[in-house]
Structure formats: C-alpha cells, structure tokens
Amino acid sequence: MILLANCEAEAGFSESIADLKNGKSAVDALVRGIGFVEADPKVRSVGYGGWPNMLGVMECDAGVMDGTTRTVGAVAAVPRTLHVAALACEVMRRLPHVMLTGEGARRFADEIGFTPDDMLYPDSKRVWWEKLDGLMTEEQKGAFPDTPLAGLLGAITDPERVRDTTVFLGQDQTGGIATVTSTSGWAWKYPGRVGDSPIPGAGFYADSRYGAAACTHTGEMTMRSATAHAIVHGMKCGLSLDDAIQSAADDLLALDTGFIGEVVIHALDTHGNHRVVNLHGQGTVAYWFWEPSMAAPEKRQSQPI
C-alpha cells in the first residue's frame, strides 16, 4: 500500500490511510479522504474554502480514476456542490459517460440525493468583491454582472496565489491504484473555465499495471501536454519513474507561448517508488506521504526540476 497527496490534503489524509488499512479499495479510500479536504474552510483552493469565479459563483471540478479497470468519472464547473469528488465517483459507477458539467452535473447530483450546498465562504465573498470593486469603473460596477469580463482577466490574480488542486494517489492491499482530484479552480476565473483537474490524462491518470500521476497549479499547461498520461505511458514503455517524469517535464518546459506558470507533479509506480517535483516554482512545495512501514504519515518537500 502507498498513499501520496499534496500539502492541502492533511484534513483527510489519515482517513484515507485508515480505510486502506481496513481493506477498502483505493478509490473508496481516496474519495472519502478528499471529502474532508473539500469541507475544510482553511483549504483555500478546494471546496467550501475555495475562491469563486468572476461572477462570485463557486464552480468546482473533480476527477476519479480506477487504475485497475481504467474507468473514469469527472465533473466540471459544478455549482452548489461541496463533495464533487464523490459526485465524480458516482458518474464513474452509475453512468455510461465520463464527464458531466455545470447544471447537468448538478441535476445528476439532485437525482442521486446530493443536497445542494451553500458554497460561497463569507471571507471569499468579501475578498472577491473587493478585488473587482478596485478594478471596475463606476459604469462597469453599475452594470455588473452584465458587463464584459474578458478585459478584466489580465488584472485578476489569485489573492493567495492559489492554483493548488488537491490530489490523492494511492495503492490498496490488492495492488489497485487510483487517483482522485478536487478543486475550486483558478480564483476569478472566467465563468465556465475548466482546468486540468477533471481532465483524464492531463490532471490525473492511473493504471494499476504501471503507476499513477496527478498535477496541480497551471492546468492550462498540463492540458496542452497530457502530462499525467505521459508519465504513466512512459513507465509502460519501460522508463523508470524518474525518467518518465523528466520526459513529461521536458514537454512542459518546452512550452514558450500561452499562459506559463508553475506545475507540480505527483507520481508513483507499482514498486513503491514516488516522486513530487515542481517546475517554474520559486522553491520546494510540501506534500504528504505514507506507506505501511511508517509509524505516521510524513510531510515532505518536493524536488525542483
């Protein structure tokens, strides 16, 4: 068994460990653990504590992949829904589709008993409007929300530089590997923006024969390079975990147009190896790791690349 997650995963990391120890599947253990993160208002990039889009609406994304069957469930730009990872898992298990978006995803949530959630954390609402209030003219504010938004995007930045999707990667007692992601996305994003977090092969991928990978931060880059799949495919082709990550990172580093920012890669293989690396970052980032020989999970530091 093994469990790997990014720094923001602390609220649910031990819950996933307990489930893995008790024989639960990797998918079920990871989905339950990430649910605690989604509910934690201290985590400012996921769930209730996240940041809204430019209209002040929370739109959350999530993805789940079972590496044994390679089945996937994903939801994107979902309103009024806290536990989007669990919803993505239900898409995977109940529907012939891979992804639902927006009001369609919320309709499905209603059908299967997910109570609508009040998602706009009061402090997020305050900061959201203060930022817009300082950018818009009086005419724009008077017309809001019926005012052009695209021109404001260049001036908008995350208040805490938050683009950090929560990612869980794990292997259970049967050798089954899974990945689960959840995020509120880029703060002040254009309504309907979807990053890499719910895109299989870009923000997450798992194959129990080889390993798994998941990415955080600048999804606009990893979608262009299919980063998560590239890492797992590299291992399928015989590369070591380190070499597969380096190959995928080289593709990211070769991008010199479009929006370029930091990318953090989390990955593991079937031999118990793992690695977390950050590109274009100003320093290391923390992540959580556990395997059965350890007395307690450890918070470790990534490697630059």
Side-chain angles (χ1 to χ4, degrees):
M1 293 186 292
I2 189 172
L3 185 63
L4 175 66
N6 67 323
C7 179
E8 284 77 8
E10 182 175 6
F13 198 74
S14 293
E15 301 293 337
S16 290
I17 292 172
D19 284 355
L20 290 173
K21 287 181 175 180
N22 289 331
K24 284 195 174 183
S25 71
V27 169
D28 288 337
L30 273 55
V31 168
R32 196 175 81 85
I34 211 168
F36 287 88
V37 184
E38 292 168 331
D40 186 352
K42 297 189 299 295
V43 181
R44 303 310 304 269
S45 56
V46 176
Y48 184 59
W51 298 102
N53 67 18
M54 199 171 286
L55 294 178
V57 177
M58 291 290 292
E59 294 180 321
C60 294
D61 310 329
V64 175
M65 185 164 188
D66 182 334
T68 301
T69 61
R70 281 174 287 160
T71 51
V72 176
V75 293
V78 188
R80 306 183 301 283
T81 308
L82 176 62
H83 293 301
V84 284
L87 182 61
C89 190
E90 294 301 326
V91 170
M92 180 180 76
R93 289 175 169 166
R94 294 177 185 240
L95 299 180
H97 308 313
V98 165
M99 179 183 288
L100 296 180
T101 65
E103 290 294 342
R106 183 58 244 180
R107 179 187 177 115
F108 175 63
D110 292 336
E111 289 182 5
I112 63 175
F114 279 57
T115 303
D117 299 300
D118 179 5
M119 290 295 293
L120 191 53
Y121 184 50
D123 187 61
S124 296
K125 182 178 181 180
R126 176 188 62 81
V127 177
W128 158 76
W129 182 251
E130 285 181 356
K131 183 70 173 181
L132 282 179
D133 187 57
L135 288 173
M136 292 191 295
T137 66
E138 291 302 319
E139 182 180 358
Q140 287 174 315
K141 284 186 280 189
F144 189 84
D146 298 319
T147 188
L149 302 177
L152 299 173
L153 282 174
I156 290 288
T157 57
D158 287 0
E160 299 175 4
R161 297 296 295 171
V162 172
R163 299 190 186 98
D164 206 10
T165 300
T166 290
V167 296
F168 277 57
L169 304 82
Q171 183 178 43
D172 60 32
Q173 293 182 18
T174 70
I177 290 176
T179 58
V180 178
T181 70
S182 184
T183 186
S184 59
W186 194 340
W188 287 277
K189 61 191 174 185
Y190 198 95
R193 179 264 185 185
V194 176
D196 66 331
S197 301
I199 307 299
F204 67 102
Y205 199 80
D207 188 326
S208 297
R209 300 171 297 177
Y210 310 109
C215 306
T216 71
H217 287 64
T218 313
E220 280 74 8
M221 294 173 63
T222 57
M223 285 191 284
R224 294 165 64 190
S225 299
T227 302
H229 180 265
I231 293 167
V232 177
H233 185 71
M235 290 188 284
K236 177 181 179 179
C237 292
L239 296 180
S240 67
L241 176 63
D242 285 355
D243 288 345
I245 291 172
Q246 185 63 59
S247 177
D250 288 343
D251 283 343
L252 291 170
L253 293 169
L255 298 175
D256 58 6
T257 60
F259 186 85
I260 304 296
E262 185 176 3
V263 174
V264 181
I265 295 171
H266 305 70
L268 55 83
D269 65 18
T270 56
H271 308 296
N273 302 306
H274 80 281
R275 193 175 180 201
V276 178
V277 302
N278 58 309
L279 294 75
H280 296 306
Q282 300 301 309
T284 61
V285 297
Y287 68 92
W288 288 98
F289 176 73
W290 172 85
E291 51 89 13
S293 69
M294 297 166 54
E298 294 180 357
K299 195 175 189 180
R300 298 183 177 182
Q301 296 295 315
S302 68
Q303 299 171 308
I305 197 167

